[in-house]
Amino acid sequence: MQIRPISPLFGAEIVEVDLSGKLDDATFTAIEAAYSKYSVLLFRDQKMTDEQHVDFSRRLGELEVHVLREFSKPQHPEVYVLSNIVENGKPIGIKDAGSYWHTDLSYTKSPSRGSILYAIEVPHAADGTPLGDTEFASTAAAYDSLSEEMKTKLQSLKAVHRFWDRYINSRKAAGSEVVISDERRAGLPDVIQPVIRTHSVTGRKSIYVNEGFTVSIVGMSDSESRALLEELYAHCTQAKFRYRHKWRVGDVVMWDNCTTVHRLNVDFALPQRRLMQRTTLVGSEVQ
Ligand code: SIN
């Protein structure tokens, strides 16, 4: 197995590993170490069944079943389908799982540790250029580059994270109204997370607010909170902290939801088909 960095600050390609088989302990341990070190790992040319996707993911930890169960595979509810394909009048997956900068499940008390996304169909432009890239930004590198004064200021702050507003607004923007029952809403109440979090394995600190799901900073006026959040989003997503992934069929990309944010570029539409599937690792309470 070889490890090749894919961008200057984070991200690496793991070469010569077949995720569909049972990995020996040494290889698996090396992958886990690379995951902690690089935050984003790429495996090219994979061919996995749903079961193999789940088996590899489960070896890393317990798996989430996404709150939007309608997009999970009935036989494998841990597999969440991301797609713009419609079959028999019904979407086979969620069309846009995040075209805004976000980190998965930050709106839950114990947000996901990481996500493992597998590309099955990738849209292309007429000239063959792949579309639907996913961009990542290192919120750990962004933290490291803050001034000491800013680090101290942010350390004691907390922020509110919320899911439903974002989901309803994205659906509205895509032209479809959704009504969420009070019961469903109550099942996923607002959560409060520290603005600076510490990685449970490496101890590395990162900035933990995101455009997708953070709604305010606790104890600040609306305008003060908005201004600080906008400043932090802009800081975290500067070009120097980013890696943009151009997908190929068979790519598996796994990322760390503590040290990165990501977003999908929606620059494609049917008949350009995109089909991806994701497993999502359970995490622990944010420290
Ligand atoms: C995600 O936000 O989990 C997926 C991003 C993508 O569809 O590329």
Side-chain angles (χ1 to χ4, degrees), residues 82 97-98 102 104 117 132-134 247 255 262-264 274 276 278:
L82 289 67
H102 69 284
D104 298 328
L117 189 61
D133 299 351
T134 307
W247 291 95
W255 61 85
H262 60 279
R263 71 172 176 188
L264 161 69
R274 189 175 196 260
M276 323 281 280
R278 191 181 94 190

Coordinates of all heavy atoms in Angstrom, one line a residue, residues 82 97-98 102 104 117 132-134 247 255 262-264 274 276 278, ligand 1:
L82 N -27.3 9.2 -2.8 CA -27.2 10.6 -3.3 C -27.3 10.5 -4.8 O -26.4 10.0 -5.4 CB -25.9 11.2 -2.9 CG -25.6 11.5 -1.4 CD1 -25.5 10.3 -0.5 CD2 -24.4 12.4 -1.2
A97 N -27.2 16.7 -1.4 CA -26.9 16.4 0.0 C -26.1 17.5 0.6 O -25.7 17.4 1.8 CB -26.3 15.0 0.2
G98 N -25.8 18.5 -0.1 CA -25.0 19.6 0.5 C -24.2 20.4 -0.5 O -23.0 20.2 -0.7
H102 N -20.5 22.4 4.6 CA -21.1 21.8 5.8 C -20.2 20.6 6.3 O -19.3 20.2 5.6 CB -22.5 21.3 5.5 CG -22.6 20.1 4.6 ND1 -22.4 20.2 3.2 CD2 -22.8 18.8 4.8 CE1 -22.5 19.1 2.7 NE2 -22.7 18.2 3.6
D104 N -21.0 16.7 8.1 CA -22.2 15.9 8.2 C -22.6 15.7 9.7 O -21.9 15.4 10.6 CB -21.9 14.5 7.6 CG -21.6 14.6 6.1 OD1 -22.2 15.5 5.5 OD2 -20.8 13.8 5.6
L117 N -17.9 8.0 0.9 CA -18.7 8.2 -0.3 C -18.1 7.4 -1.5 O -16.9 7.6 -1.8 CB -18.8 9.7 -0.6 CG -19.7 10.2 -1.6 CD1 -21.2 9.9 -1.3 CD2 -19.6 11.7 -1.8
G132 N -19.9 17.7 -11.0 CA -20.3 17.3 -9.7 C -19.1 17.1 -8.7 O -19.2 16.1 -7.9
D133 N -18.1 17.9 -8.9 CA -16.9 17.8 -8.0 C -17.4 18.0 -6.5 O -18.3 18.7 -6.2 CB -15.9 18.9 -8.2 CG -15.3 18.8 -9.7 OD1 -15.6 17.8 -10.4 OD2 -14.6 19.7 -10.0
T134 N -16.6 17.4 -5.6 CA -16.8 17.7 -4.2 C -15.6 18.5 -3.7 O -14.5 18.0 -3.9 CB -17.1 16.4 -3.4 OG1 -18.1 15.7 -4.0 CG2 -17.4 16.8 -1.9
W247 N -14.4 13.6 -9.5 CA -14.7 12.1 -9.4 C -14.5 11.3 -10.6 O -14.7 11.8 -11.7 CB -16.2 12.0 -9.0 CG -16.5 12.5 -7.6 CD1 -17.0 13.8 -7.3 CD2 -16.4 11.8 -6.4 NE1 -17.2 13.9 -5.9 CE2 -16.8 12.7 -5.4 CE3 -16.0 10.5 -6.0 CZ2 -16.9 12.3 -4.0 CZ3 -16.0 10.2 -4.7 CH2 -16.4 11.1 -3.7
W255 N -13.9 11.0 4.5 CA -13.4 12.3 5.1 C -13.8 12.3 6.6 O -14.6 11.6 7.1 CB -14.0 13.5 4.4 CG -15.5 13.6 4.4 CD1 -16.2 14.2 5.4 CD2 -16.4 13.2 3.4 NE1 -17.6 14.2 5.0 CE2 -17.7 13.6 3.8 CE3 -16.2 12.6 2.1 CZ2 -18.8 13.3 3.0 CZ3 -17.3 12.3 1.4 CH2 -18.6 12.7 1.8
H262 N -17.2 20.3 3.7 CA -17.2 20.0 2.3 C -18.5 20.5 1.6 O -19.4 20.9 2.3 CB -17.1 18.4 2.1 CG -18.2 17.7 2.7 ND1 -18.2 17.4 4.1 CD2 -19.4 17.2 2.2 CE1 -19.3 16.7 4.4 NE2 -20.1 16.6 3.3
R263 N -18.5 20.5 0.3 CA -19.7 20.9 -0.5 C -19.7 20.3 -1.9 O -18.6 20.1 -2.4 CB -19.9 22.4 -0.6 CG -18.9 23.1 -1.5 CD -19.2 24.5 -1.7 NE -18.2 25.1 -2.5 CZ -18.1 26.4 -2.8 NH1 -19.0 27.3 -2.2 NH2 -17.1 26.9 -3.5
L264 N -20.9 20.0 -2.4 CA -21.0 19.5 -3.7 C -21.2 20.7 -4.7 O -21.9 21.6 -4.4 CB -22.3 18.6 -3.8 CG -22.9 18.3 -5.1 CD1 -22.0 17.4 -6.0 CD2 -24.3 17.7 -5.0
R274 N -25.9 11.4 -11.8 CA -24.9 11.3 -10.8 C -25.5 10.3 -9.8 O -26.6 10.4 -9.3 CB -24.7 12.6 -10.1 CG -23.5 12.6 -9.1 CD -23.3 14.0 -8.5 NE -22.0 14.2 -7.9 CZ -21.8 14.2 -6.5 NH1 -22.9 14.0 -5.7 NH2 -20.6 14.5 -6.0
M276 N -24.2 8.3 -6.3 CA -23.2 8.1 -5.2 C -23.9 7.4 -4.1 O -25.1 7.6 -3.9 CB -22.6 9.4 -4.7 CG -22.4 10.5 -5.7 SD -21.0 10.3 -6.7 CE -19.7 10.8 -5.6
R278 N -23.3 6.7 0.3 CA -22.5 7.1 1.4 C -22.9 6.2 2.7 O -24.0 6.0 2.9 CB -22.8 8.6 1.8 CG -21.9 9.2 2.8 CD -22.3 10.6 3.0 NE -23.1 10.7 4.2 CZ -23.8 11.8 4.5 NH1 -23.7 12.9 3.8 NH2 -24.6 11.8 5.6
Ligands
SIN1 C1 -22.2 15.0 1.2 O1 -22.4 16.2 1.4 O2 -22.2 14.2 2.0 C2 -22.0 14.6 -0.3 C3 -21.4 15.6 -1.1 C4 -21.5 15.1 -2.6 O3 -22.6 14.7 -3.0 O4 -20.5 15.2 -3.3

